[in-house]
Amino acid sequence: MATLPVLGEPRIVIVGAGISGLAAAASLVSNGFRNVTVLEAMDRPGGRIHTTKPFGTNVIELGANWIHGQEGNPIYQLAMEHGLLAEEGTSITMCVPSSITRQDYFFNQSGTQLPPEQVEQVCCYFSKLMSKAFDQELDVKYDLRSLGSYLDEEFKASDLASSEDARKVFEWCKRSECTDEACSSLYEFSAGQLWLYTALEGGFFNSVGSGGYQALLDVFLKSLSPGVLLCNKPVKCIQWGLSETSSSFQGACPVRVLCEDGQQLEADHVIVTASLGYLQDNSSTMFKPVLPEEKMRAIERLGFGVVSKIFLEFEKRFWPQDCAGIQLVWEEGPEDRKVYKSSLGDEGWKDKWYKKICGFDMVARHPNVLCGWITGREAEHMEGLQEKTVGEVCVRLLRSFTGWEVPDPLRVLMSQWRQNPYVRGAYTYIPLGVDAMREQEALAEPLPLESCDSISKPLQVLFAGEATHVQFYTTTHGAYLTGVREAQRIIQHYSDRLPSPNGERAS
Ligand SMILES: Cc1cc2nc3c(=O)[nH]c(=O)nc-3n(C[C@H](O)[C@H](O)[C@H](O)COP(=O)(O)OP(=O)(O)OC[C@H]3O[C@@H](n4cnc5c(N)ncnc54)[C@H](O)[C@@H]3O)c2cc1C
């Protein structure tokens, strides 16, 4: 068992105040650790949880929106305990693994609404194929194949294959799945690794109440004393493995954290919660010495995708009362294999970026607002365009697909997760050919690695964040659990030395 540093309590720095960083801080504080500092680069905590009020008094979520699953979901549990769930339950009535309901209107390119029964038949078939992949029931031949090719082969062999309309709706399902998975294309996404992700029971789309996800963050924030969280504090470099002589501060801390503004903090333990996207861009300069090879490999090999939302606010609702979403079915959409293949090595897709938009959904508590979803390289491209241009394109699509009188929007708002220098995308996906468990475990391993010859000071740099959870990556509950996991490593390390929160030493 490790001993406490001579001059006092362990100094712990947490890099990032997303839900994983806040969960780590709250766990440490509630276990009696008093020297905890959270450094956040942005001017607000929350990271990829960003609740805003751009259209009046009701909230809009630019990032996370739903709680995925109920049973065994600590975020659902927390929301329930604090009365933060939406009153209306989940609204998913169709059997497709997406937020689609029977009240969604599907339109084809020629402006005709598709019969809901026909759409449902294809969506249900698609859902069955996806369940097989999630439940690890795929034929071994798909182990090393893409999700796109698995879906195509199964569809080709099905009774639906003879129907042109079914083919087009199937393409829409693939596009929608691509958005859920945050990848550029399902042809670049591994079919054989999907089963590692665990979908919790109790509905995939549980809504948070009127306070939005921010209300959940507030639960953690309230548990931290003033001064623990420092915003506008980007960390530039983490020097680890410092020997006693190289440390200029008293107490011989093994880690030094250098901030962009020149401040230096010495620490016994640093928990890094920056997103995989941030690490992909910065890990080679952020750590001194550089990260071990297996960690760099994991950062490089795992995928970090882009998902963007486009909010359109209108003066008044122009869609029917019973319409829950307007979905766009192309003759040949970007998830059509032929279209995908011909787009490789060609920049032509940039002119047709809007074809990646799945459709426009209603937004809770905003009767006049629609939310469009787009993913992958097209989303990245869109983030570089003016909001006005994006709004015009969306209105053109809505007019031509529905044939309705669609007014110009009052306001357009895009999320820009890829452009955010401290996030660089939406969430993790597993590219074709990548061994997810191996890479995620390598990413999560603390430094110095256990295989290191001499570890005089273990747990110098620990890694949390959504990307480091093998079963629940991509989600807020996954991120939360990784923060708690890394806090627990430290708590365990000092378990018989620290005072408990009531001042007594734990036995
Ligand atoms: C559009 C979108 C929709 C989503 N929808 C859902 C959903 O419905 N349900 C769901 O469960 N999940 C959803 N997610 C995913 C969910 O938001 C994330 O999995 C989760 O919030 C990640 O939390 P985190 O703490 O791991 O990372 P982050 O939230 O990214 O936190 C990391 C923090 O580190 C900070 N940071 C980075 N670099 C530095 C540095 N050098 N110095 C200091 N600070 C730094 C960042 O600013 C950030 O605040 C969605 C995400 C997006 C983008």
Coordinates of all heavy atoms in Angstrom, one line a residue, residues 15-21 39-42 44-49 62-68 213 233-236 273-275 278 286 307-309 373 415 417 420 422-423 425-427 464-467 474-477 479 482, ligand 1:
V15 N -7.7 17.1 -15.7 CA -7.7 17.9 -16.9 C -9.0 17.7 -17.6 O -9.3 16.6 -18.2 CB -6.5 17.6 -17.8 CG1 -6.5 18.4 -19.1 CG2 -5.2 17.7 -17.1
G16 N -9.9 18.7 -17.6 CA -11.2 18.6 -18.3 C -12.4 18.5 -17.3 O -12.3 17.7 -16.4
A17 N -13.4 19.4 -17.6 CA -14.6 19.4 -16.7 C -15.8 18.9 -17.5 O -16.9 19.4 -17.3 CB -14.8 20.7 -16.1
G18 N -15.6 17.9 -18.3 CA -16.8 17.2 -18.9 C -17.3 16.3 -17.8 O -16.9 16.3 -16.6
I19 N -18.3 15.4 -18.2 CA -18.9 14.6 -17.1 C -18.0 13.7 -16.5 O -18.1 13.4 -15.3 CB -20.2 14.0 -17.7 CG1 -21.1 13.5 -16.5 CG2 -19.9 12.9 -18.6 CD1 -22.5 13.2 -16.8
S20 N -17.0 13.2 -17.2 CA -16.0 12.2 -16.6 C -15.1 13.0 -15.6 O -14.9 12.4 -14.5 CB -15.2 11.6 -17.7 OG -14.4 12.5 -18.4
G21 N -14.7 14.2 -16.0 CA -13.8 14.9 -15.0 C -14.6 15.3 -13.8 O -14.0 15.2 -12.7
L39 N -9.0 21.5 -14.1 CA -8.6 22.5 -15.0 C -9.4 22.3 -16.3 O -9.3 21.3 -17.0 CB -7.1 22.4 -15.4 CG -6.2 22.5 -14.2 CD1 -4.7 22.3 -14.6 CD2 -6.3 23.9 -13.5
E40 N -10.2 23.3 -16.7 CA -11.0 23.2 -17.9 C -10.6 24.3 -18.9 O -10.5 25.5 -18.5 CB -12.5 23.4 -17.5 CG -13.4 23.6 -18.7 CD -13.3 22.5 -19.8 OE1 -13.4 21.3 -19.5 OE2 -13.2 22.9 -21.0
A41 N -10.4 23.9 -20.1 CA -9.9 24.8 -21.2 C -11.0 25.8 -21.6 O -10.7 27.0 -21.8 CB -9.4 24.0 -22.4
M42 N -12.2 25.4 -21.6 CA -13.3 26.3 -22.1 C -13.7 27.2 -21.0 O -13.3 27.0 -19.8 CB -14.4 25.4 -22.7 CG -14.1 24.7 -23.9 SD -15.5 24.1 -24.8 CE -15.6 22.4 -24.3
R44 N -16.6 27.2 -19.7 CA -17.7 26.6 -19.0 C -17.4 25.1 -18.8 O -16.7 24.5 -19.5 CB -19.0 26.7 -19.9 CG -18.8 26.0 -21.2 CD -20.1 25.7 -22.0 NE -19.7 25.0 -23.2 CZ -19.6 23.7 -23.3 NH1 -20.0 22.9 -22.3 NH2 -19.2 23.1 -24.4
P45 N -18.0 24.5 -17.7 CA -17.8 23.1 -17.5 C -18.8 22.3 -18.4 O -19.7 23.0 -19.0 CB -18.2 22.9 -16.1 CG -19.1 24.0 -15.7 CD -18.7 25.2 -16.6
G46 N -18.7 21.0 -18.6 CA -19.7 20.3 -19.3 C -19.2 19.6 -20.5 O -19.6 18.5 -20.9
G47 N -18.2 20.2 -21.2 CA -17.6 19.6 -22.4 C -18.7 19.3 -23.4 O -19.4 20.2 -23.9
R48 N -18.8 18.0 -23.8 CA -19.8 17.7 -24.9 C -21.2 17.7 -24.4 O -22.1 17.3 -25.1 CB -19.4 16.3 -25.5 CG -18.2 16.5 -26.5 CD -17.7 15.1 -26.9 NE -16.7 14.6 -26.0 CZ -16.2 13.4 -26.0 NH1 -16.7 12.5 -26.9 NH2 -15.3 13.0 -25.1
I49 N -21.4 18.0 -23.1 CA -22.8 18.3 -22.6 C -22.9 19.9 -22.7 O -22.1 20.5 -22.0 CB -23.0 17.8 -21.2 CG1 -23.0 16.3 -21.2 CG2 -24.3 18.3 -20.6 CD1 -23.0 15.7 -19.9
L62 N -26.9 21.3 -27.4 CA -26.0 21.2 -28.6 C -25.2 19.9 -28.6 O -24.7 19.5 -29.7 CB -25.0 22.4 -28.5 CG -25.7 23.8 -28.8 CD1 -24.6 24.9 -28.6 CD2 -26.2 23.9 -30.2
G63 N -25.1 19.3 -27.5 CA -24.4 18.0 -27.4 C -25.3 16.9 -27.0 O -26.4 16.8 -27.5
A64 N -24.9 16.2 -25.9 CA -25.8 15.1 -25.4 C -27.2 15.5 -25.1 O -27.4 16.6 -24.6 CB -25.1 14.5 -24.2
N65 N -28.1 14.6 -25.5 CA -29.5 14.9 -25.4 C -30.3 13.9 -24.6 O -31.2 14.2 -23.8 CB -30.0 15.0 -26.8 CG -31.4 15.7 -27.0 OD1 -31.6 16.6 -26.2 ND2 -32.2 15.2 -27.9
W66 N -30.0 12.6 -24.8 CA -30.7 11.5 -24.2 C -29.9 10.7 -23.2 O -28.7 10.8 -23.2 CB -31.2 10.5 -25.3 CG -32.2 11.1 -26.2 CD1 -33.5 11.3 -26.0 CD2 -32.0 11.4 -27.6 NE1 -34.2 11.8 -27.1 CE2 -33.3 11.9 -28.1 CE3 -30.9 11.4 -28.5 CZ2 -33.4 12.3 -29.4 CZ3 -31.1 11.9 -29.8 CH2 -32.3 12.3 -30.2
I67 N -30.6 10.0 -22.4 CA -30.0 9.0 -21.5 C -30.2 7.7 -22.1 O -31.4 7.3 -22.2 CB -30.5 9.1 -20.0 CG1 -30.4 10.5 -19.5 CG2 -29.8 8.1 -19.2 CD1 -30.9 10.7 -18.1
H68 N -29.2 7.0 -22.5 CA -29.3 5.7 -23.2 C -29.5 4.6 -22.2 O -28.5 4.1 -21.7 CB -28.2 5.5 -24.2 CG -28.1 6.6 -25.2 ND1 -29.2 6.9 -26.0 CD2 -27.1 7.3 -25.7 CE1 -28.9 7.9 -26.9 NE2 -27.6 8.1 -26.7
Y213 N -29.6 18.6 -19.7 CA -28.5 17.9 -19.1 C -27.7 18.8 -18.1 O -27.0 18.3 -17.2 CB -27.5 17.4 -20.3 CG -27.5 15.9 -20.5 CD1 -28.2 15.3 -21.5 CD2 -26.8 15.1 -19.6 CE1 -28.1 14.0 -21.7 CE2 -26.7 13.7 -19.8 CZ -27.4 13.2 -20.8 OH -27.4 11.8 -21.0
K233 N -8.7 27.5 -18.5 CA -7.4 27.1 -18.1 C -6.9 25.9 -19.0 O -6.8 24.7 -18.5 CB -7.4 26.5 -16.6 CG -7.2 27.6 -15.6 CD -5.7 27.8 -15.4 CE -5.5 28.9 -14.4 NZ -4.2 29.6 -14.5
P234 N -6.6 26.2 -20.2 CA -6.1 25.1 -21.1 C -4.8 24.6 -20.6 O -3.9 25.4 -20.3 CB -6.0 25.7 -22.5 CG -6.3 27.1 -22.3 CD -6.8 27.4 -20.9
V235 N -4.6 23.3 -20.5 CA -3.4 22.7 -20.2 C -2.5 22.5 -21.4 O -3.0 22.0 -22.4 CB -3.6 21.3 -19.5 CG1 -2.3 20.5 -19.3 CG2 -4.3 21.5 -18.1
K236 N -1.3 22.9 -21.4 CA -0.4 22.8 -22.5 C 0.4 21.5 -22.5 O 0.6 20.8 -23.5 CB 0.5 24.0 -22.6 CG 1.3 24.1 -23.8 CD 2.1 25.4 -23.7 CE 3.0 25.6 -24.9 NZ 3.9 26.7 -24.7
T273 N -8.9 13.8 -19.0 CA -10.2 13.4 -19.5 C -10.5 14.0 -20.9 O -11.6 13.9 -21.4 CB -11.4 13.8 -18.6 OG1 -11.5 15.2 -18.7 CG2 -11.1 13.4 -17.1
A274 N -9.5 14.6 -21.5 CA -9.7 15.2 -22.9 C -10.2 14.2 -23.8 O -9.9 13.0 -23.7 CB -8.4 15.8 -23.3
S275 N -11.0 14.6 -24.8 CA -11.6 13.7 -25.7 C -10.5 13.0 -26.6 O -9.4 13.5 -26.7 CB -12.5 14.4 -26.7 OG -11.8 15.2 -27.6
Y278 N -9.3 15.3 -29.2 CA -8.2 16.2 -28.7 C -6.9 15.5 -28.6 O -5.9 16.0 -29.1 CB -8.6 16.8 -27.3 CG -7.6 17.8 -26.8 CD1 -7.6 19.1 -27.2 CD2 -6.5 17.4 -26.0 CE1 -6.7 20.0 -26.8 CE2 -5.6 18.3 -25.6 CZ -5.6 19.6 -26.0 OH -4.7 20.5 -25.6
M286 N 1.6 17.0 -26.0 CA 1.0 17.3 -24.6 C 1.7 16.6 -23.5 O 1.7 17.0 -22.3 CB -0.4 16.9 -24.7 CG -1.2 17.3 -23.5 SD -2.9 16.8 -23.5 CE -3.6 17.6 -22.1
V307 N -20.5 14.5 -35.4 CA -22.0 14.5 -35.6 C -22.3 16.0 -35.3 O -21.9 16.6 -34.3 CB -22.7 13.7 -34.5 CG1 -24.3 13.8 -34.7 CG2 -22.3 12.2 -34.6
S308 N -23.1 16.6 -36.2 CA -23.5 18.0 -36.0 C -25.0 18.1 -36.1 O -25.7 17.3 -36.8 CB -22.9 18.9 -37.1 OG -21.5 18.6 -37.2
K309 N -25.5 19.1 -35.3 CA -26.9 19.3 -35.3 C -27.2 20.7 -35.9 O -26.3 21.6 -35.8 CB -27.5 19.4 -33.8 CG -27.3 18.2 -33.0 CD -28.0 18.3 -31.7 CE -27.6 17.2 -30.7 NZ -28.2 17.3 -29.4
W373 N -29.9 16.5 -38.5 CA -28.7 15.7 -38.0 C -27.8 15.4 -39.2 O -28.3 14.9 -40.3 CB -29.1 14.4 -37.4 CG -29.8 14.5 -36.1 CD1 -31.1 14.8 -35.9 CD2 -29.2 14.4 -34.8 NE1 -31.4 14.9 -34.6 CE2 -30.3 14.6 -33.9 CE3 -28.0 14.1 -34.3 CZ2 -30.1 14.5 -32.5 CZ3 -27.7 14.0 -33.0 CH2 -28.8 14.3 -32.1
S415 N -24.3 23.2 -34.3 CA -23.3 22.8 -33.3 C -22.0 22.7 -34.1 O -22.0 22.4 -35.3 CB -23.6 21.4 -32.7 OG -23.6 20.4 -33.6
W417 N -18.8 20.9 -33.1 CA -18.0 20.1 -32.3 C -16.6 19.8 -32.9 O -15.6 19.7 -32.2 CB -18.7 18.8 -31.9 CG -19.8 19.1 -31.0 CD1 -21.2 19.0 -31.3 CD2 -19.8 19.5 -29.6 NE1 -21.9 19.4 -30.2 CE2 -21.1 19.7 -29.2 CE3 -18.8 19.8 -28.7 CZ2 -21.5 20.1 -27.9 CZ3 -19.1 20.2 -27.4 CH2 -20.4 20.4 -27.0
N420 N -14.4 22.8 -32.6 CA -14.0 23.2 -31.2 C -12.6 22.6 -30.9 O -12.4 21.4 -30.9 CB -15.0 22.6 -30.2 CG -14.7 23.0 -28.8 OD1 -13.6 23.1 -28.4 ND2 -15.8 23.2 -28.0
Y422 N -11.0 22.1 -28.4 CA -10.8 21.2 -27.2 C -11.6 20.0 -27.2 O -11.7 19.2 -26.2 CB -11.1 22.1 -25.9 CG -10.1 23.2 -25.8 CD1 -10.5 24.5 -26.0 CD2 -8.7 23.0 -25.6 CE1 -9.6 25.6 -25.9 CE2 -7.8 24.0 -25.6 CZ -8.3 25.3 -25.7 OH -7.4 26.4 -25.7
V423 N -12.3 19.8 -28.3 CA -13.1 18.5 -28.4 C -12.8 17.8 -29.7 O -12.5 16.6 -29.7 CB -14.6 18.8 -28.4 CG1 -15.5 17.5 -28.4 CG2 -15.0 19.6 -27.1
G425 N -14.7 16.9 -32.3 CA -15.6 15.9 -32.9 C -16.7 15.5 -31.9 O -16.9 16.3 -31.0
A426 N -17.4 14.4 -32.1 CA -18.5 14.1 -31.3 C -18.2 12.9 -30.3 O -18.3 13.1 -29.1 CB -19.7 13.7 -32.2
Y427 N -18.0 11.8 -30.9 CA -17.6 10.6 -30.0 C -16.9 9.5 -30.8 O -16.7 9.6 -32.0 CB -18.8 10.1 -29.2 CG -20.2 10.0 -30.0 CD1 -20.5 9.0 -30.8 CD2 -21.1 11.0 -29.9 CE1 -21.7 8.9 -31.5 CE2 -22.3 11.0 -30.5 CZ -22.6 9.9 -31.3 OH -23.8 9.8 -32.0
A464 N -9.3 9.0 -18.3 CA -10.7 8.7 -18.3 C -11.3 9.4 -19.5 O -10.6 9.9 -20.3 CB -11.3 9.3 -17.0
G465 N -12.7 9.3 -19.6 CA -13.4 9.9 -20.8 C -14.0 8.8 -21.6 O -13.6 7.6 -21.5
E466 N -15.1 9.2 -22.2 CA -16.0 8.3 -23.0 C -15.2 7.2 -23.8 O -15.5 6.1 -23.8 CB -16.8 9.2 -23.9 CG -17.4 8.7 -25.1 CD -16.6 8.9 -26.3 OE1 -16.0 9.9 -26.6 OE2 -16.5 7.9 -27.0
A467 N -14.1 7.6 -24.4 CA -13.4 6.7 -25.3 C -12.7 5.6 -24.6 O -12.4 4.5 -25.2 CB -12.3 7.5 -26.1
T474 N -19.0 6.3 -26.2 CA -19.9 7.2 -26.9 C -21.0 7.9 -25.9 O -21.6 8.9 -26.3 CB -20.8 6.6 -28.1 OG1 -21.8 5.8 -27.5 CG2 -20.0 5.8 -29.0
T475 N -21.1 7.3 -24.7 CA -22.3 7.8 -23.9 C -21.8 8.7 -22.7 O -20.7 8.6 -22.3 CB -23.1 6.6 -23.4 OG1 -22.3 5.9 -22.5 CG2 -23.6 5.7 -24.5
T476 N -22.8 9.4 -22.2 CA -22.6 10.1 -20.9 C -22.4 9.2 -19.8 O -21.5 9.5 -18.9 CB -23.7 11.1 -20.6 OG1 -24.9 10.4 -20.6 CG2 -23.8 12.2 -21.6
H477 N -23.1 8.1 -19.7 CA -22.9 7.2 -18.6 C -21.6 6.5 -18.7 O -20.9 6.2 -17.7 CB -24.1 6.2 -18.4 CG -24.4 5.3 -19.6 ND1 -25.1 5.7 -20.7 CD2 -24.0 4.0 -19.8 CE1 -25.2 4.7 -21.5 NE2 -24.6 3.6 -21.0
A479 N -18.9 7.8 -20.0 CA -17.9 8.9 -19.6 C -17.9 9.0 -18.0 O -16.8 9.0 -17.4 CB -18.3 10.2 -20.2
T482 N -16.1 6.2 -16.3 CA -14.6 6.2 -16.4 C -14.0 7.2 -15.4 O -12.9 6.9 -14.9 CB -14.2 6.6 -17.8 OG1 -14.6 7.9 -18.1 CG2 -14.6 5.6 -18.9
Ligands
LIG1 C1 -23.8 16.1 -30.8 C2 -23.6 15.1 -29.7 C3 -24.7 14.4 -29.3 C4 -24.5 13.5 -28.3 N1 -25.7 12.8 -27.8 C5 -25.5 12.0 -26.7 C6 -26.7 11.5 -26.1 O1 -27.8 11.8 -26.5 N2 -26.6 10.6 -25.0 C7 -25.3 10.3 -24.6 O2 -25.2 9.5 -23.6 N3 -24.2 10.8 -25.1 C8 -24.3 11.7 -26.2 N4 -23.2 12.3 -26.7 C9 -21.9 11.9 -26.1 C10 -21.6 12.5 -24.8 O3 -21.8 13.9 -24.9 C11 -20.1 12.3 -24.4 O4 -19.8 10.9 -24.5 C12 -19.7 12.8 -23.0 O5 -20.3 14.0 -22.8 C13 -18.2 12.8 -23.0 O6 -17.8 13.3 -21.7 P1 -16.2 13.3 -21.4 O7 -16.1 13.8 -20.0 O8 -15.6 12.0 -21.7 O9 -15.6 14.3 -22.4 P2 -15.8 15.9 -22.7 O10 -17.2 16.2 -22.5 O11 -15.3 16.1 -24.1 O12 -14.9 16.6 -21.6 C14 -13.6 16.7 -21.7 C15 -13.2 18.2 -21.3 O13 -11.8 18.3 -21.4 C16 -11.6 19.7 -21.8 N5 -10.2 19.7 -22.3 C17 -9.7 19.2 -23.5 N6 -8.4 19.5 -23.6 C18 -8.1 20.2 -22.5 C19 -6.9 20.8 -22.1 N7 -5.8 20.8 -22.8 N8 -6.9 21.5 -20.9 C20 -8.0 21.6 -20.1 N9 -9.2 21.1 -20.5 C21 -9.2 20.4 -21.7 C22 -12.6 20.0 -22.8 O14 -12.8 21.3 -23.0 C23 -13.8 19.2 -22.2 O15 -14.6 20.1 -21.4 C24 -23.3 13.2 -27.7 C25 -22.2 14.0 -28.1 C26 -22.3 14.9 -29.1 C27 -21.1 15.7 -29.5

